[in-house]
């Protein structure tokens, strides 16, 4: 594969791992980075040997850059994605795809009109953990999947994140922050979602930052911080899910389980790339830990961009794609809509399950 030139817009905390990993994939050539804070962009460019730090406008006008990696805050995702598409660039955006369903639809429509690709995090489902779980399901290790549980139980981010305000603003909250990992993993393992029942709540109207940078600052809470509900998949499987920033004493609930007609599988935290993966067959008393498939066991954020770069050249579908990201976005709002209306939310979109990664790949390759 030839290398594809990419540029990053948004040089905040998450940019480090993308910049580090872009250098590992031969198919990616990180040519420039941009940020509202130009000095921050310059610092990241120097740290990761990126040839150029510039303004967003300069980056978008560079004719050699084919893919924009959008790492801005969620409220800016749609604006930057649309600007990139208007500039003729393919775009890969951090999760969520956008804040609203209307914004997400505009992104997909703009890309389709221009024949461009949209990709979106999370890409952790391409890690060895979820890929191993997928292979077990496809091999029938637990029979036909009939149910699942998914739990993200947290006290929130104000005690560690230097700038946690956006987690409690519109487009934030536990569902929009962490829900994409869990919902994307469930779609990879079980397929698309058909309907949702949800209930939302808010334990505190205000949060106090205890991390060092803004210690003592008060944050108004604008979005539910506890979301619970049930999903039904097209396959007929049913999942129970809780995403919460209101678990102040911690929890022992497992992040993700899949239950089948012949057994149960413990799936790794969907926010990680590794394992372990365990299963227990009907009638057994002990869990069997499964060796992970050869693949991506470490933090490999950026793999979705690399997969898209391969897809650009081969013509095959890319895995962390915009259609699945929009399906996840719609589902996240579906929990809130169901809670507000007291009725099921019926999904309007669908998507395909991404193809598994090939079993034998050379390191930092996708085909």
């Amino acid at each position: 594969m030839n290398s594809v030139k990419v540029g990053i817009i948004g040089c905040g905390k998450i940019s480090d791992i993308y910049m580090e990993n872009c250098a590992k994939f031969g198919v990616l050539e990180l040519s420039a980075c941009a940020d509202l804070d130009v000095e921050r962009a310059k610092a990241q460019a120097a740290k990761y040997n990126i040839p150029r730090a510039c303004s967003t406008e300069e980056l978008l006008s560079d004719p050699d850059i084919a893919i924009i990696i959008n790492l801005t805050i969620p409220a800016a995702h749609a604006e930057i994605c649309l600007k990139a598409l208007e500039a003729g660039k393919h775009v890969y955006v951090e999760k969520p795809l956008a804040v609203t369903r209307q914004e997400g639809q505009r992104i997909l429509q703009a890309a389709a009109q221009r024949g461009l690709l949209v990709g979106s995090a999370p890409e952790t489902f391409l890690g060895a953990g979820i890929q191993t779980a997928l292979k077990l399901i496809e091999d029938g290790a637990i029979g036909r999947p009939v149910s699942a549980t998914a739990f993200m139980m947290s006290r929130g981010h104000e005690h560690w994140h230097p700038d946690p305000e956006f987690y409690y603003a519109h487009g934030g909250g536990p569902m929009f922050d962490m829900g994409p990992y869990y919902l994307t993993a469930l779609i990879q393992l079980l397929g698309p979602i058909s309907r949702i029942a949800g209930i939302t709540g808010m334990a505190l109207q205000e949060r106090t930052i205890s991390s060092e940078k803004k210690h003592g600052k008060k944050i108004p809470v604008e979005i539910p911080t506890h979301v619970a509900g049930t999903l039904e998949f097209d396959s007929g499987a049913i999942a129970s899910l809780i995403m919460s920033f209101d678990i102040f004493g911690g929890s022992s609930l497992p992040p993700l389980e899949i239950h089948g007609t012949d057994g149960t599988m413990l799936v790794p935290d969907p926010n990680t790339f590794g394992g372990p993966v365990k299963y227990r067959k009907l009638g057994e008393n002990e869990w069997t830990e499964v060796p992970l498939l050869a693949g991506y066991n470490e933090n490999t954020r950026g793999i979705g961009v690399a997969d898209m770069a391969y897809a650009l050249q081969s013509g095959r579908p890319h895995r962390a794609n915009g259609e699945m990201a929009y399906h996840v976005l719609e589902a996240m709002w579906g929990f809130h809509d169901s809670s507000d209306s007291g009725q099921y939310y019926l999904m309007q979109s669908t998507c395909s399950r991404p193809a598994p990664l090939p079993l034998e790949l050379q390191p930092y390759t996708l085909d």
Side-chain angles (χ1 to χ4, degrees):
M1 287 287 171
N2 298 319
S3 63
V4 176
K5 290 190 175 183
V6 301
I8 287 178
I9 298 176
C11 295
K13 188 174 180 64
I14 194 66
S15 69
D16 286 282
I17 192 64
Y18 277 90
M19 292 173 176
E20 179 182 331
N21 286 335
C22 277
K24 298 176 182 178
F25 286 98
V27 75
L28 299 178
E29 180 181 343
L30 181 52
S31 300
C33 62
D35 194 275
L36 286 174
D37 182 346
V38 178
E39 292 306 312
R40 181 159 62 180
K42 290 179 179 178
Q44 289 295 81
K47 182 177 179 180
Y48 292 101
N49 298 313
I50 301 169
R52 187 160 58 104
C54 58
S55 69
T56 296
E57 291 71 23
E58 289 172 322
L59 196 155
L60 291 175
S61 65
D62 186 334
D64 294 328
I65 291 177
I67 299 175
I68 298 298
I69 304 174
N70 180 0
L71 304 182
T72 58
I73 63 172
H77 281 184
E79 177 187 358
I80 296 300
C81 284
L82 290 169
K83 285 183 176 180
L85 293 167
E86 289 166 3
K89 315 294 186 188
H90 308 281
V91 65
Y92 186 91
V93 60
E94 246 303 317
K95 51 80 187 170
L97 173 67
V99 170
T100 70
R101 284 161 288 194
Q102 292 76 17
E103 290 175 339
Q105 289 169 349
R106 286 200 293 272
I107 291 169
L108 297 187
Q109 289 166 0
Q113 289 168 0
R114 294 168 173 81
L116 298 169
L117 299 184
V118 173
S120 178
E123 56 214 337
T124 45
F125 72 94
L126 296 175
I130 302 296
Q131 290 294 305
T132 300
L134 176 61
K135 181 68 164 57
L136 283 172
I137 288 174
E138 292 187 333
D139 288 348
I142 60 169
R144 176 174 56 86
V146 294
S147 67
T149 56
F151 301 111
M152 194 293 297
M153 314 296 274
S154 165
R155 58 179 280 197
H157 298 335
E158 64 272 19
H159 65 286
W160 67 269
H161 197 285
D163 299 295
E165 292 91 340
F166 72 92
Y167 288 110
Y168 299 98
H170 184 65
M175 180 57 79
F176 291 93
D177 176 39
M178 296 300 293
Y181 296 106
Y182 290 76
L183 292 170
T184 301
L186 287 169
I187 290 168
Q188 171 74 105
L189 298 174
L190 301 177
I193 303 160
S194 58
R195 63 174 176 165
I196 292 169
I199 298 176
T200 67
M202 183 189 299
L204 302 172
Q205 301 289 321
E206 185 178 75
R207 300 276 179 139
T208 302
I209 299 176
S210 56
S211 55
E212 184 176 344
K213 181 180 175 182
K214 298 179 178 178
H215 186 85
K217 180 180 177 181
K218 305 293 185 181
I219 309 172
V221 178
E222 301 173 357
I223 194 163
T225 47
H226 186 93
V227 182
T230 305
L231 309 92
E232 184 178 41
F233 294 82
D234 286 354
S235 66
I238 297 170
S240 300
L241 176 146
I242 299 176
M243 300 284 112
S244 185
F245 285 168
D246 293 345
I247 311 302
F248 303 107
S251 170
S252 61
L253 289 170
L256 190 59
E257 289 186 356
I258 307 294
H259 314 114
T261 53
D262 294 334
T264 293
M265 183 164 55
L266 305 181
V267 182
D269 183 343
N271 191 23
T272 67
F273 285 82
V277 177
K278 300 179 181 181
Y279 73 96
R280 189 168 68 191
K281 301 281 283 187
L282 175 67
E284 295 180 346
N285 296 318
E286 301 296 331
W287 295 96
T288 298
E289 183 167 345
V290 181
L292 296 183
L293 297 175
Y296 298 94
N297 194 16
E298 305 297 329
N299 189 342
T300 321
R301 281 174 170 80
I303 188 174
V305 186
D307 186 64
M308 194 160 77
Y310 272 89
L312 277 174
Q313 299 182 65
S314 69
R316 65 160 173 81
H318 58 298
R319 294 174 172 89
N321 58 71
E323 287 72 22
M324 182 169 63
Y326 179 78
H327 193 60
V328 168
L329 176 64
E330 185 190 0
M332 293 192 295
W333 275 114
F335 284 94
H336 293 74
D337 286 358
S338 174
S339 180
D340 292 344
S341 69
Q343 298 178 333
Y344 284 117
Y345 177 83
L346 304 181
M347 293 289 288
Q348 302 301 302
S349 69
T350 190
C351 66
S352 299
R353 292 171 67 186
L357 287 182
L359 292 179
E360 296 182 2
L361 288 172
Q362 294 298 313
Y364 294 97
T365 64
L366 278 304
D367 284 339

